[in-house]
Structures are given as C-alpha cells and as structure tokens.
Amino acid sequence: MIDRRQFLASSAASLAFVDDTPKRVGLIGAGWYGKVDLFRLIQVSPVNVVSVCDVDTIALDDAAARIAERQVSKKRPRTYRDYRDMLKEKDLDIVLVGTPDHWHTLATIAAIKAGAHVWVQKPVSVDVVEAQAMVAAARKYKKVVQVGMQRRSTPHLIEARQLIRDGKLGTVHTIETCCFYPRNNPPNPPDSAPPANLDYELWTGPAPMRPFNRMTHPGSWRAFMEYGNGTIGDMGVHMIDMARWMAGLRWPKTIYSAGGILVHKNAKQNISDTQIATLDFGDVKMTWQHRHYGTAPDKDYPWAAIFYGDKGTLKASVWGYDFIPMEKGGQTIHKDVEYELDQYPEDKTEPRLEKHCAPAVRGQMRDFLNCIATGARPVADIEEGLISAAACILANMSQQLGRSLAWDEAAGQIKGDPEANKLLARPYRKPWVHPDPKTV
C-alpha cells in the first residue's frame, strides 16, 4: 500500500479539483458490494474509514479487519450493529450505503441529516415515494448523493455513448435491454431460526416480517419481492439507466409490462422468472426482457442494451460493445472492457470482486469526490437514480395491475389512476415510518 504523499502525487491528474484533506468515511452494510465500493474509494482517495455498521456480527468483524488492512492509516474502524448509533456521532463526511434494497432509503436520509454526503447502491429504493424523499433530502440539506449505477463511468461505455452523440447510429428510435442469465433449479431450503450472528429483526427493518430462510441471508434476498423489485429492479435498473444515459432520455411517458412466475412455480422465491416491459419515451421506444431459463438470443450479449438507429446498431454491455453500420462496407467497431489490473494489483486477489466492474466504480468514486469538492451534480445523481428505479417499479406495478401506466413527471405520480397511485408508497412495518418528500 502506498503512503498518502505517494497517493496524492499519483492521483493529481484525476482528482485535480478535489480537496486533499482525507474524508472521514462510514459504511452501512458491510456485505459484498458494500466492501467492493469502499475498497474502490480507498484506491482513489486517502480516506479515513472510521465507522462500519452491519447487523451480522461475522460480516462486521470481517469488514473491520479487511478495512484495517486496506486503508492508509491501518486503523480498525469503530463497529456498530445499528446505523442510527453510528450516525449519532455526526463526524462523517461520507457514508456508503451497501445494505439490501429495502434499507437504502432510511439509511441514506439519516446519513444526509447527520451531515454526510452519500454513495448509495442501486436501485435507490423499493417504492417510488421513497426515492422522491431521497431526492428531497439531498436538495434540502445540500448534499451530494451518488448512486452505484456505474455503467455511467465505464470507460468503454463512455466511448460507446460518444458514438451515439457523434451521429454514428443516425437517429435512435428503438432500444432493447435484457438479461437472459439462467437461474435453473432455484433452491428451496426449509425455513429455520436465524443464526446467532444475525439480528434478523433489524435486518428486516421496514419490510414485511417473513420466517427466516438461509436464502435471504447472506446474499439471495433479491429472490423475494419483500426486499426489492425482482430481476428488473436488480439487473434491469443497470441496463435501463445505461440506455437512458447513452441516449439522453429522462422519464418514460407510459409503461406497460407483462410476465410472472411461468416456469419456477414450485420455488420458494417469489420474483418473476419472465418479464417483458415497454417504456415509451415518445420518439424512442425501449423494452426490457428477462427470462430465468432458456438461452440468450445473442450469446455475446446476454445482459445488454441494443440501440437501433437508421444508420447503424450498437450493442453494449459490461463486457464491451459492437457498432455495426447499416452502410454496406461501413467500418464496424469493437471494444472490450478494460481491467486496470496492472495499476491496481490488489484487484487480482480481492474476494468476489467483479474485476470488469472495478474501473467503473473507481471512476464513479472520483466523480463523487469531485462533486463533493465543487458542489456539482454527480454523473449518477440521486434524481437519475429515482428515474431509473421508478421505471422498474412502475413496470412491476403495470404487471401487477394488468394495465398501462402514464407517468406525470411534473406531478410525480400516475395520471388518472388513483388505485395505482396508492401503490407508489409501500406499507412500512411498525415502528418504522415511511419518509414523506414534503417533510423529510
């Protein structure tokens, strides 16, 4: 590990506008991507990680030990079971939220009110009003909130986006987004008592209380709608957000979705194994499709966005991109993902790190730090997180209700559909209170 002086010298070009005073950092949710995000931050800035929180004592202790190994100070952070106790200290400049989705909103708003800028994993929320409250809090307390939708900072996707902006595709009218990763034979373990290392009451928080099942913790909670928004809210939010960013789109005007559990009917999981959604942006039509079975139409792009223009087609994913011109004899363009393993050799051995994603997270962390220093809006600002999460949530609502939904951007609700508008805020389990954008 390089010392602070060496670090600042090597990072001067990429962090030219950033105050070099080390930021005091706290982490809420010390599982997989909580640590992935934090370690990328440590790689790009000599921060002091002073606090870490998790409801699982094993995960908490592991994270504290690994943080001490990785950060410049080599100090072990303070540890907390309850994020509210951590935030009472009010001594953090930055808080990273890496909890399951159902905790993103309350933790983010509490961190903002405690005086911190926030990095929150995607999707920002489980319901639309939660996300609206997060935007309201960020603006009211004048804090930078960056969302972990790191496709916006992926080097080869920045290059691919420029092809669209340069007119290589002509006018883009159709975008297909998809995920065809199979989930064959989902497990069905019996319910059981929660392990002694887990505070399951606090882990559940505002979500409905279910009997504990080892599918939910650690790691497979996304298989349950109580804690998230299914595959579209997990994999889809990345591709939909990437497509919006690359094509310069904001809110869809109408959303329609169909699907359900068509194959894995006897599985314990309750998320759709099949879904097709249409997002109508006016002149641009976007679709989302996922299947948990079968094969991908294009083996090279099983999780991707495909842009169709009147001059060419662009296929884009986390692994690379391909541009195919319509003009006969036109030049195709191909680019693979960059790994940066020589610059950051610790990536080679970090457990569970998605090495192809690490450069993007580092880039997004640099943008986050620059915006904290300058007051600018980050590339994945919380408002962008609201739009992309809401697109997925509204698709699920359309599927549930069996009808198309028309979004009123100015009013922040669905046009002419009182029944649907009641679903924009989910019930919270007591004693937790759902945040209100008007009073946050």
Side-chain angles (χ1 to χ4, degrees):
M1 178 67 70
I2 60 176
D3 64 28
R4 182 168 177 269
R5 181 177 299 175
Q6 290 172 313
F7 181 91
L8 292 174
S10 65
S11 302
S14 60
L15 291 170
F17 301 105
V18 174
D19 177 3
D20 65 5
T21 303
K23 304 297 183 187
R24 292 174 62 84
V25 176
L27 171 64
I28 302 173
W32 177 28
Y33 248 83
K35 292 194 291 290
V36 167
D37 289 338
L38 181 64
F39 292 155
R40 306 291 78 69
L41 175 60
I42 289 172
Q43 286 177 326
V44 301
S45 181
V47 296
N48 289 328
V49 184
V50 297
S51 301
V52 60
C53 173
D54 202 280
V55 295
D56 183 327
T57 56
I58 293 176
L60 183 61
D61 186 65
D62 173 73
R66 291 176 60 188
I67 289 166
E69 292 174 357
R70 294 287 294 265
Q71 69 175 336
V72 174
S73 71
K74 300 301 181 185
K75 293 181 179 179
R76 185 181 175 92
R78 304 171 302 201
T79 56
Y80 300 85
R81 179 184 62 87
D82 191 321
Y83 75 93
R84 294 168 295 183
D85 294 331
M86 184 181 97
L87 295 176
K88 282 179 184 177
E89 304 289 346
K90 293 189 175 181
D91 63 351
L92 301 172
D93 301 305
I94 294 172
V95 169
L96 275 61
V97 178
T99 63
D101 298 353
H102 66 284
W103 266 116
H104 285 177
T105 297
L106 290 181
T108 294
I109 293 174
I112 291 171
K113 288 184 173 181
H117 302 282
V118 178
W119 168 289
V120 59
Q121 255 303 323
K122 62 79 207 169
V124 298
S125 65
V126 175
D127 70 54
V128 174
V129 176
E130 285 181 321
Q132 291 171 331
M134 295 166 82
V135 174
R139 303 298 185 252
K140 178 178 179 179
Y141 297 98
K142 297 179 171 57
K143 294 300 177 182
V144 175
V145 180
Q146 176 86 289
V147 182
M149 300 185 302
Q150 65 267 20
R151 305 288 84 80
R152 291 173 178 249
S153 296
T154 302
H156 70 265
L157 294 175
I158 294 172
E159 184 178 301
R161 178 176 182 251
Q162 193 61 43
L163 296 178
I164 298 175
R165 296 168 73 88
D166 289 345
K168 292 284 189 182
L169 278 69
T171 302
V172 174
H173 288 295
T174 304
I175 306 171
E176 296 174 355
T177 62
C178 63
C179 182
F180 297 115
Y181 290 147
R183 299 185 183 185
N184 297 321
N185 302 315
N188 282 309
D191 295 337
S192 63
N197 55 287
L198 177 67
D199 184 336
Y200 187 56
E201 168 68 31
L202 191 53
W203 184 95
T204 301
M209 177 59 74
R210 291 177 53 98
F212 177 78
N213 189 283
R214 62 181 173 83
M215 281 183 67
T216 58
H217 181 82
S220 295
W221 51 267
R222 291 191 184 281
F224 298 94
M225 291 296 290
E226 288 84 351
Y227 315 123
N229 276 291
T231 300
I232 191 172
D234 176 19
M235 309 298 280
V237 73
H238 270 306
M239 291 298 110
I240 291 169
D241 182 73
M242 181 183 84
R244 286 200 315 104
W245 165 68
M246 292 177 70
L249 304 171
R250 280 187 55 80
W251 283 94
K253 298 178 184 300
T254 60
I255 303 97
Y256 177 75
S257 179
I261 302 173
L262 307 186
V263 174
H264 300 141
K265 295 181 181 294
N266 297 319
K268 191 174 290 288
Q269 65 183 32
N270 60 18
I271 59 173
S272 296
D273 58 29
T274 308
Q275 188 168 14
I276 302 173
T278 300
L279 311 178
D280 189 337
F281 292 87
D283 290 338
V284 179
K285 316 302 180 186
M286 184 189 301
T287 61
W288 163 260
Q289 182 178 7
H290 75 255
R291 283 184 281 103
H292 292 177
Y293 51 91
T295 57
D298 186 333
K299 65 180 179 59
D300 294 325
Y301 288 91
W303 181 37
I306 305 171
F307 303 79
Y308 296 93
D310 53 22
K311 293 184 179 179
T313 299
L314 176 66
K315 300 180 180 182
S317 80
V318 296
W319 300 104
Y321 75 81
D322 281 283
F323 168 67
I324 306 100
M326 286 187 63
E327 181 184 5
K328 187 176 181 180
Q331 182 180 1
T332 60
I333 304 174
H334 172 80
K335 186 67 175 289
D336 289 322
V337 65
E338 299 174 1
Y339 287 88
E340 299 181 350
L341 295 176
D342 291 337
Q343 301 97 309
Y344 300 95
E346 58 268 36
D347 285 5
K348 297 177 183 178
T349 56
E350 184 176 318
R352 298 191 68 196
L353 174 63
E354 295 178 312
K355 296 177 179 61
H356 59 289
C357 295
V361 180
R362 280 189 288 269
Q364 200 124 314
M365 285 294 180
R366 293 187 185 102
D367 176 73
F368 182 40
L369 293 167
N370 270 303
C371 291
I372 291 172
T374 64
R377 295 276 171 86
V379 66
D381 177 62
I382 183 60
E383 186 175 354
E384 300 296 341
L386 158 64
I387 297 171
S388 293
C392 302
I393 295 165
L394 292 168
N396 284 338
M397 289 172 55
S398 168
Q399 182 171 303
Q400 175 184 342
L401 295 168
R403 59 178 175 268
S404 179
L405 304 176
W407 183 251
D408 186 332
E409 179 179 353
Q413 61 181 8
I414 299 159
K415 295 179 181 179
D417 197 330
E419 181 186 10
N421 281 318
K422 290 179 181 179
L423 301 177
L424 293 177
R426 64 193 170 106
Y428 267 27
R429 189 173 67 97
K430 294 181 179 180
W432 305 99
V433 178
H434 196 294
D436 184 339
K438 297 177 182 177
T439 59
V440 72

XYZ file of all heavy atoms in Angstrom, residues 4 7-9 11-23 41 44-47 93-94 117 144 362-376:
308
model
N 0.378 8.245 1.907
C -0.521 9.312 1.469
C 0.156 10.252 0.483
O -0.438 10.690 -0.500
C -1.024 10.080 2.700
C -2.003 11.185 2.356
C -2.678 11.705 3.624
N -3.561 12.801 3.271
C -3.190 14.074 3.263
N -1.949 14.397 3.577
N -4.041 15.016 2.943
N 0.325 8.657 -2.819
C -1.019 8.540 -3.380
C -1.455 9.844 -4.024
O -1.947 9.869 -5.149
C -2.014 8.157 -2.274
C -3.409 7.995 -2.780
C -3.862 6.760 -3.204
C -4.261 9.083 -2.869
C -5.138 6.615 -3.698
C -5.535 8.939 -3.363
C -5.966 7.711 -3.760
N -1.264 10.960 -3.307
C -1.707 12.241 -3.832
C -0.956 12.623 -5.095
O -1.518 13.178 -6.028
C -1.533 13.321 -2.763
C -2.473 13.184 -1.554
C -2.099 14.214 -0.494
C -3.915 13.356 -1.965
N 0.326 12.299 -5.140
C 1.100 12.616 -6.333
C 0.613 11.833 -7.533
O 0.480 12.357 -8.648
C 2.581 12.322 -6.084
N -2.336 10.602 -8.003
C -3.733 10.830 -8.327
C -4.035 12.271 -8.717
O -5.186 12.624 -8.941
C -4.605 10.470 -7.113
O -4.397 9.130 -6.751
N -3.035 13.104 -8.828
C -3.259 14.528 -9.045
C -4.050 14.808 -10.309
O -4.923 15.672 -10.340
C -1.920 15.262 -9.104
N -3.762 14.062 -11.370
C -4.436 14.342 -12.644
C -5.923 14.063 -12.568
O -6.749 14.852 -13.035
C -3.807 13.505 -13.757
N -6.294 12.949 -11.966
C -7.702 12.569 -11.956
C -8.501 13.275 -10.876
O -9.714 13.332 -10.927
C -7.840 11.056 -11.781
O -7.263 10.652 -10.563
N -7.832 13.836 -9.864
C -8.532 14.489 -8.772
C -8.058 15.934 -8.626
O -7.862 16.448 -7.535
C -8.298 13.731 -7.459
C -8.960 12.354 -7.380
C -8.476 11.602 -6.155
C -10.462 12.497 -7.325
N -7.900 16.610 -9.747
C -7.300 17.936 -9.754
C -8.099 18.945 -8.946
O -7.531 19.892 -8.398
C -7.161 18.421 -11.199
N -9.416 18.757 -8.840
C -10.253 19.756 -8.191
C -10.697 19.321 -6.792
O -11.499 19.984 -6.173
C -11.480 20.038 -9.053
C -11.126 20.525 -10.425
C -11.231 19.685 -11.530
C -10.651 21.810 -10.615
C -10.895 20.132 -12.790
C -10.317 22.268 -11.878
C -10.431 21.421 -12.971
N -10.163 18.212 -6.313
C -10.629 17.664 -5.050
C -9.751 18.139 -3.896
O -8.537 18.118 -3.977
C -10.651 16.117 -5.111
C -11.003 15.537 -3.750
C -11.656 15.650 -6.147
N -10.401 18.569 -2.827
C -9.698 18.910 -1.589
C -8.976 17.652 -1.109
O -9.584 16.593 -0.955
C -10.746 19.373 -0.569
C -10.142 19.691 0.785
O -8.911 19.611 0.935
O -10.925 20.021 1.697
N -7.657 17.771 -0.850
C -6.899 16.570 -0.499
C -6.970 16.246 0.989
O -6.289 15.339 1.457
C -5.448 16.680 -0.967
C -4.681 17.790 -0.241
O -5.243 18.409 0.677
O -3.510 18.024 -0.600
N -7.790 16.973 1.760
C -7.988 16.624 3.156
C -8.705 15.280 3.235
O -9.784 15.123 2.665
C -8.841 17.681 3.883
O -8.216 18.953 3.755
C -8.998 17.325 5.349
N -8.140 14.285 3.913
C -8.793 12.971 3.956
C -10.203 13.049 4.535
O -10.431 13.659 5.571
C -7.861 12.159 4.863
C -6.535 12.825 4.752
C -6.844 14.287 4.611
N -11.135 12.459 3.838
C -12.524 12.436 4.284
C -12.723 11.327 5.310
O -12.144 10.247 5.205
C -13.468 12.216 3.107
C -13.326 13.225 1.978
C -13.667 14.622 2.405
C -13.594 15.593 1.240
N -13.765 17.005 1.673
N -13.113 3.217 -3.292
C -12.907 4.567 -2.769
C -11.519 4.693 -2.143
O -10.811 5.683 -2.364
C -13.996 4.898 -1.739
C -13.863 6.246 -1.009
C -13.882 7.411 -1.992
C -14.969 6.398 0.035
N -8.804 5.339 -4.672
C -8.694 6.620 -5.380
C -8.550 7.822 -4.453
O -8.342 8.939 -4.928
C -9.895 6.850 -6.329
C -9.998 5.736 -7.349
C -11.205 7.007 -5.568
N -8.638 7.617 -3.129
C -8.502 8.735 -2.199
C -8.020 8.225 -0.843
O -8.462 7.160 -0.387
C -9.846 9.448 -2.031
O -9.746 10.535 -1.153
N -7.140 8.971 -0.177
C -6.608 8.529 1.122
C -7.593 8.799 2.256
O -7.305 9.523 3.205
C -5.340 9.368 1.264
C -5.660 10.639 0.566
C -6.526 10.243 -0.611
N -8.776 8.232 2.162
C -9.829 8.464 3.154
C -9.502 7.757 4.460
O -8.698 6.819 4.507
C -11.190 7.968 2.624
C -11.620 8.767 1.406
C -11.153 6.472 2.302
N -17.882 12.566 6.919
C -18.017 13.370 5.704
C -18.766 12.611 4.619
O -19.496 13.207 3.820
C -16.634 13.755 5.161
C -15.815 14.544 6.156
O -16.312 15.575 6.637
O -14.675 14.121 6.459
N -18.541 11.297 4.574
C -19.108 10.434 3.534
C -19.664 9.177 4.189
O -19.014 8.592 5.066
C -18.045 10.039 2.489
C -17.583 11.265 1.694
C -18.562 8.953 1.550
C -16.392 10.981 0.789
N -22.300 13.372 2.910
C -22.590 13.078 1.516
C -22.718 11.558 1.407
O -22.082 10.817 2.173
C -21.474 13.589 0.604
C -21.226 15.059 0.721
N -22.039 15.999 0.129
C -20.261 15.751 1.376
C -21.589 17.209 0.402
N -20.514 17.096 1.165
N -24.361 15.877 -1.709
C -24.151 15.106 -2.927
C -24.550 13.662 -2.650
O -24.090 13.060 -1.675
C -22.675 15.164 -3.382
C -22.446 14.254 -4.592
C -22.272 16.604 -3.688
N -14.316 2.847 -9.617
C -13.289 3.847 -9.311
C -13.595 5.177 -9.996
O -13.481 6.249 -9.391
C -11.906 3.338 -9.736
C -11.262 2.377 -8.756
C -9.827 2.087 -9.130
N -9.715 1.238 -10.304
C -9.642 -0.089 -10.289
N -9.675 -0.735 -9.127
N -9.537 -0.786 -11.397
N -13.975 5.109 -11.262
C -14.300 6.331 -11.986
C -15.466 7.071 -11.361
O -15.459 8.304 -11.254
N -16.477 6.321 -10.922
C -17.641 6.954 -10.317
C -17.305 7.534 -8.943
O -17.863 8.560 -8.534
C -18.785 5.945 -10.220
C -20.146 6.593 -10.056
C -21.130 6.176 -11.126
O -20.799 6.154 -12.306
N -22.328 5.843 -10.723
N -16.371 6.886 -8.222
C -15.922 7.427 -6.943
C -15.162 8.741 -7.158
O -15.323 9.701 -6.374
C -15.040 6.417 -6.214
C -15.795 5.271 -5.583
S -16.881 5.824 -4.237
C -17.599 4.247 -3.737
N -14.345 8.810 -8.188
C -13.634 10.066 -8.482
C -14.628 11.187 -8.782
O -14.468 12.318 -8.321
C -12.678 9.862 -9.665
C -11.506 8.932 -9.385
C -10.530 8.930 -10.557
N -9.462 7.968 -10.358
C -9.382 6.765 -10.931
N -10.356 6.387 -11.770
N -8.384 5.951 -10.690
N -15.647 10.858 -9.555
C -16.681 11.846 -9.861
C -17.381 12.289 -8.579
O -17.659 13.493 -8.378
C -17.688 11.247 -10.842
C -18.841 12.182 -11.142
O -18.627 13.170 -11.872
O -19.959 11.932 -10.639
N -17.690 11.362 -7.698
C -18.325 11.639 -6.404
C -17.486 12.630 -5.601
O -17.979 13.651 -5.098
C -18.493 10.312 -5.665
C -19.174 10.376 -4.325
C -20.274 11.190 -4.101
C -18.721 9.579 -3.282
C -20.907 11.214 -2.861
C -19.344 9.600 -2.046
C -20.434 10.414 -1.829
N -16.194 12.365 -5.487
C -15.299 13.232 -4.722
C -15.192 14.612 -5.350
O -15.179 15.633 -4.637
C -13.921 12.586 -4.620
C -13.843 11.298 -3.785
C -12.521 10.591 -4.020
C -14.042 11.593 -2.304
N -15.095 14.666 -6.657
C -15.033 15.957 -7.333
C -16.291 16.779 -7.071
O -16.216 17.995 -6.869
C -14.849 15.752 -8.844
C -13.388 15.689 -9.249
O -12.630 16.611 -8.989
N -13.005 14.596 -9.881
N -17.437 16.126 -7.084
C -18.692 16.847 -6.870
C -18.839 17.308 -5.422
O -19.408 18.374 -5.157
C -19.862 15.980 -7.297
S -19.930 15.731 -9.095
N -18.329 16.542 -4.482
C -18.312 16.996 -3.092
C -17.478 18.272 -2.974
O -17.853 19.227 -2.282
C -17.755 15.892 -2.167
C -18.752 14.725 -2.082
C -17.448 16.448 -0.780
C -18.212 13.513 -1.358
N -16.349 18.320 -3.691
C -15.464 19.476 -3.635
C -16.027 20.692 -4.361
O -15.828 21.826 -3.928
C -14.097 19.107 -4.210
N -16.736 20.460 -5.462
C -17.164 21.576 -6.312
C -18.631 21.947 -6.154
O -19.054 23.019 -6.588
C -16.922 21.237 -7.792
O -17.754 20.115 -8.166
C -15.456 20.889 -8.042
N -19.424 21.052 -5.564
C -20.858 21.301 -5.444
C -21.654 20.942 -6.682
O -22.857 21.209 -6.742
N -21.009 20.337 -7.672
C -21.710 19.948 -8.896
C -22.545 18.690 -8.658
O -22.364 17.973 -7.675
C -20.702 19.694 -10.014
